[in-house]
Amino acid sequence: MQRRRTAGLAAAAAAVLVLTGCSAGSNASDGQSKDSLTWAMWIAGKEDKAAWQKVADTVKTDDDVDVSIQGSPFNDYWTKLRTQLSTGTAPCIVSIQSLRAANYTDVLVPIDDMAKQADLDLSEYDQTGLDGMKVDGKLYGLPYDTGPMVMFYNKDIFEKAGVDEPKPGWTVDEFEDAAKQLKAAGTPIWGTSVEDIPLESMILGYNGGRVIGADGTLDASNTKFAEGLDWIGSLVKDGYATQASTDGSTDDNAFVSGDVAMYSDGPWSIISQKAKVQFDLGITTIPSGTDGPSSFAAGSGFGISKQCKYPEQAFKAITTMTNEATLTSLAEQGRAFPARTAAQQAWYDNAGIDGVEDALKTGLENATPLPGNKQSDQLNQLFAQYALQAVNGQTSGKDTMSSIASQLGSQ
């Protein structure tokens, strides 16, 4: 999965890829045949393309089916996909984020019966990843990656300030105590974000507040969530955290440059961040408050469009694309944290970061999937407009959520 709902893996990679043509031997009108299928995937550059091509090649080797990738940059992917779906030119295999799955149930095939008929052991998938592919109890894809939101931290800053490194399972009280010590040493503890995943995860950890319920329904009037906004606003006011920005990469950039000690992100960014930073990288869990340890998890997977003329072949293909061998190979390449539990050790071994296994296992143990909702994208836009004001001390959390609720209700 991408770090943010609207940000690509490489943040506008230099090599922009356009949708490729149909593969050889496929039906000329739609790129589909019994032994040749198309697959839409977001691709950030040459290395990304090469990694996913290996996945496509695996289907050819194992199932004797050619899978042709239609690659496009992440920010363009969703627009192009919706256009294809509306014009009857959709690929058979569709890559989908858990956060966006609710927006595509009208065009994706529920695969519960296919999995049952194929005797696919779904228990071999990480439960958070699998649940993220469900909408209203129906499974719309097989997950290839998953993971809880966690805290990245700069070990050098903590050591220089004489502050104990945060251990997995740490509390809000410990977080605030560390914040005071780090401020005294000259560095804010946290790079603030009003992007949906990090913002909602911090508040869930703080007091259990959430605006999207477990069943995917919106509750913008959630009192605890409003209180969580006030808490983050107090961190900013006291100088423990940076002011929020409409630029979703501000917290990331501040962390990489050493201007903050921590920021919130998912395991999909760990290996790329390790390569970027010039300091010793640490990973820990979201600090827990009144409701005990908790974090949101998210991920991505592969589904089948209703326009696919060969759903059985497509299901067999996505099963191969998410089997243990394929996801282990991706893990060994340093790709996203695998949704197959048996492949996760390969990712830990490849990461080479002290404590990352303990942090992610602790995070996953206490994680709950962040469900999507048909208004999720609008909610994220409203966070950028209104939650930013609350976090930066311009209004209260209660008034902010009242404004957001009125906007959501107007649709």
Side-chain angles (χ1 to χ4, degrees):
M1 172 172 172
Q2 317 302 321
R3 175 178 177 266
R4 299 289 194 250
R5 184 189 301 274
T6 55
L9 274 170
V16 175
L17 300 170
V18 297
L19 291 176
T20 61
C22 300
S23 61
S26 62
N27 185 297
S29 63
D30 57 16
Q32 299 179 26
S33 73
K34 191 172 183 179
D35 58 0
S36 185
L37 305 173
T38 49
W39 164 30
M41 182 64 189
W42 49 81
I43 295 181
K46 292 181 179 179
E47 292 184 357
D48 209 25
K49 182 180 180 180
W52 293 118
Q53 185 59 55
K54 289 182 179 179
V55 173
D57 292 343
T58 298
V59 180
K60 175 63 176 176
T61 300
D62 291 3
D63 305 326
D64 199 25
V65 173
D66 284 313
V67 173
S68 177
I69 304 175
Q70 295 182 343
S72 56
F74 184 79
N75 289 342
D76 299 332
Y77 175 84
W78 304 101
T79 301
K80 292 180 178 178
L81 177 61
R82 182 54 74 176
T83 298
Q84 288 178 308
L85 290 166
S86 65
T87 58
T89 59
C92 259
I93 300 170
V94 178
S95 302
I96 197 76
Q97 276 188 323
S98 61
L99 298 177
R100 293 177 182 265
N103 294 320
Y104 289 87
T105 56
D106 60 322
V107 292
L108 294 178
V109 178
I111 61 173
D112 303 84
D113 289 343
M114 294 184 187
K116 186 176 182 179
Q117 291 171 6
D119 199 26
L120 179 62
D121 187 356
L122 295 177
S123 68
E124 294 180 354
Y125 292 87
D126 189 289
Q127 192 61 48
T128 58
L130 199 66
D131 287 347
M133 292 288 102
K134 294 179 180 179
V135 180
D136 295 331
K138 295 181 180 179
L139 184 63
Y140 285 93
L142 295 180
Y144 73 82
D145 84 335
T146 189
M149 286 298 292
V150 290
M151 300 285 279
F152 291 45
Y153 68 95
N154 184 325
K155 290 188 175 185
D156 296 353
I157 289 178
F158 274 80
E159 182 178 2
K160 185 176 180 180
V163 180
D164 292 337
E165 290 186 22
K167 303 299 182 184
W170 69 324
T171 66
V172 167
D173 287 342
E174 291 171 326
F175 171 77
E176 292 179 343
D177 184 57
K180 294 175 184 177
Q181 296 180 64
L182 288 168
K183 179 189 175 183
T187 305
I189 191 171
W190 187 52
T192 309
S193 174
V194 291
E195 289 276 326
D196 47 7
I197 308 175
L199 178 69
E200 292 179 61
S201 292
M202 285 295 286
I203 292 176
L204 182 72
Y206 171 66
N207 67 356
R210 56 188 299 170
V211 288
I212 301 182
D215 61 355
T217 57
L218 280 172
D219 179 17
S221 62
N222 185 275
T223 302
K224 284 188 173 182
F225 193 85
E227 292 172 353
L229 284 176
D230 289 333
W231 171 63
I232 295 176
S234 72
L235 296 176
V236 173
K237 179 181 178 181
D238 292 338
Y240 301 147
T242 61
Q243 284 205 325
S245 168
T246 55
D247 183 351
S249 62
T250 297
D251 57 332
D252 179 350
N253 293 335
F255 179 72
V256 172
S257 63
D259 294 331
V260 296
M262 309 186 80
Y263 88 108
S264 308
D265 208 336
W268 45 85
S269 296
I270 290 175
I271 292 177
S272 61
Q273 285 294 66
K274 179 188 175 185
K276 287 166 58 178
V277 301
Q278 301 298 312
F279 49 79
D280 199 2
L281 179 65
I283 308 294
T284 192
T285 53
I286 299 289
S288 60
T290 56
D291 280 21
S294 188
S295 177
F296 280 122
S300 299
F302 308 126
I304 303 169
S305 77
K306 287 184 177 179
Q307 294 177 23
C308 183
K309 299 174 183 177
Y310 307 97
E312 292 181 3
Q313 285 81 359
F315 181 78
K316 189 174 181 181
I318 66 174
T319 300
T320 298
M321 292 161 64
T322 60
N323 67 21
E324 180 182 343
T326 302
L327 296 191
T328 297
S329 176
L330 286 172
E332 290 171 345
Q333 297 173 58
R335 312 304 299 177
F337 188 71
R340 282 266 187 173
T341 54
Q344 290 173 356
Q345 190 60 51
W347 188 93
Y348 291 131
D349 295 341
N350 180 74
I353 300 174
D354 290 341
V356 69
E357 184 171 353
D358 187 19
L360 287 187
K361 285 184 175 180
T362 301
L364 279 169
E365 182 180 353
N366 299 294
T368 180
L370 176 57
N373 178 282
K374 293 185 184 299
Q375 291 181 287
S376 289
D377 283 341
Q378 184 190 5
L379 176 63
N380 196 32
Q381 294 167 6
L382 293 171
F383 279 154
Q385 180 179 357
Y386 294 105
L388 182 141
Q389 297 175 9
V391 167
N392 291 344
Q394 298 167 328
T395 186
S396 69
K398 180 179 179 181
D399 289 345
T400 291
M401 296 314 297
S402 177
S403 296
I404 289 177
S406 67
Q407 292 293 317
L408 290 172
S410 67
Q411 298 300 312

